[in-house]
């Protein structure tokens, strides 16, 4: 587990974008994916907006995915296993990099064919508590023709990251402009933020 943590941190230091190819095991990723699909079949996902609870907007021309917030109150075994992994990473990050992270929030995200999310930053103007963004992908057998890449804009070094299963991406929430390109297949992830509340 620490190897995947170190991979995130080392690649982040090198390039402002941390990537671990196997942050989630196949078993956990598959279980989370099945859970997300069941939630979707039960119509429990909601339209994603932009902004936060104080100022939120819904515009399908900007963002067209659907989400479901993870919560320990759900007492879902697979989500709890994911939370344990995140908490272990936060402890490792705080101990090795002195980041002072005190909390987190995560949601499932599901993009249907044709969905996208235009360029944006992850930190709110009216609330700077989000410090780092993390995205863990749940898409097995993803092909280049499926699209749906995370495009991170950096000066002289844009990165296009395929949303392949088990991969996790990590970057500062207020630093990098990014977008989700149009997907040609169902695209699933757990997206969230490490916070200093």
């Amino acid at each position: 587990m620490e190897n995947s943590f170190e991979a995130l941190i080392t690649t982040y230091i090198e390039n402002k974008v941390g990537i671990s190819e196997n942050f989630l095991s196949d078993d956990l990723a598959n279980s989370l994916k099945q859970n997300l699909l069941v939630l979707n079949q039960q119509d429990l996902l909601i339209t994603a907006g932009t902004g936060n609870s104080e100022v939120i907007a819904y515009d399908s021309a900007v963002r067209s995915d659907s989400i479901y917030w993870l919560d320990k109150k759900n007492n879902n075994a697979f989500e709890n296993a994911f939370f344990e992994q995140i908490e272990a990473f936060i402890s490792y990050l705080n101990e090795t990099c002195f980041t002072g992270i005190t909390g987190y929030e995560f949601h499932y995200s599901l993009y249907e064919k044709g969905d996208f999310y235009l360029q944006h930053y992850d930190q709110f103007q009216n609330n700077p508590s989000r410090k780092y963004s993390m995205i863990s992908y749940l898409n097995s057998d993803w092909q280049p023709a499926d699209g749906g890449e995370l495009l991170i804009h950096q000066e002289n070094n844009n990165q296009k990251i395929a949303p392949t299963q088990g991969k996790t991406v990590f970057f500062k929430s207020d630093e990098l402009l990014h977008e989700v390109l149009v997907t040609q297949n169902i695209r699933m992830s757990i997206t969230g933020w490490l916070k200093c509340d």
Side-chain angles (χ1 to χ4, degrees):
M1 192 159 53
E2 285 192 1
N3 287 341
S4 64
F5 296 173
E6 195 59 37
L8 278 180
I9 293 169
T10 300
T11 50
Y12 168 77
I13 290 170
E14 290 172 352
N15 199 33
K16 296 186 177 181
V17 180
I19 299 176
S20 170
E21 296 291 340
N22 56 358
F23 184 85
L24 297 183
S25 69
D26 269 345
D27 285 347
L28 182 55
N30 284 329
S31 297
L32 290 164
K33 176 168 52 182
Q34 289 307 312
N35 194 45
L36 171 52
L37 290 170
V38 168
L39 291 167
N40 189 44
Q41 288 169 358
Q42 295 173 341
D43 292 324
L44 293 175
L45 275 67
I46 60 173
T47 300
T50 55
N52 58 15
S53 57
E54 295 174 28
V55 181
I56 191 165
Y58 297 94
D59 186 347
S60 60
V62 173
R63 179 181 187 181
S64 52
D65 59 317
S66 299
I67 65 170
Y68 179 92
W69 287 98
L70 277 64
D71 193 321
K72 284 187 175 180
K73 293 176 183 175
N74 297 336
N75 201 28
N76 178 279
F78 308 118
E79 292 174 17
N80 287 345
F82 175 79
F83 287 141
E84 288 175 10
Q85 178 100 341
I86 292 298
E87 288 165 4
F89 176 65
I90 289 171
S91 293
Y92 189 84
L93 185 66
N94 284 341
E95 288 169 10
T96 58
C97 301
F98 310 104
T99 49
I101 298 301
T102 57
Y104 56 84
E105 58 184 0
F106 283 89
H107 61 67
Y108 288 117
S109 184
L110 187 145
Y111 288 73
E112 303 279 2
K113 182 178 179 180
D115 285 347
F116 58 89
Y117 191 172
L118 297 184
Q119 295 181 22
H120 63 282
Y121 293 99
D122 280 349
Q123 193 179 86
F124 302 125
Q125 292 182 350
N126 64 347
N127 185 341
S129 65
R130 290 178 174 178
K131 301 303 179 185
Y132 295 94
S133 302
M134 289 188 74
I135 309 155
S136 295
Y137 295 112
L138 308 175
N139 310 294
S140 56
D141 303 317
W142 197 260
Q143 302 299 316
D146 293 329
E149 297 94 345
L150 175 68
L151 178 59
I152 297 181
H153 297 268
Q154 296 194 68
E155 188 175 346
N156 303 320
N157 188 30
N158 289 350
Q159 286 192 66
K160 191 183 285 188
I161 300 168
T164 51
Q165 179 161 297
K167 180 187 295 179
T168 290
V169 182
F170 170 76
F171 55 91
K172 283 197 77 175
S173 299
D174 66 345
E175 192 168 71
L176 296 180
L177 190 66
H178 58 285
E179 62 184 298
V180 176
L181 302 180
V182 175
T183 184
Q184 301 301 325
N185 206 338
I186 293 177
R187 177 191 189 274
M188 292 170 282
S189 67
I190 296 180
T191 298
W193 300 274
L194 308 186
K195 303 172 70 179
C196 292
D197 290 319

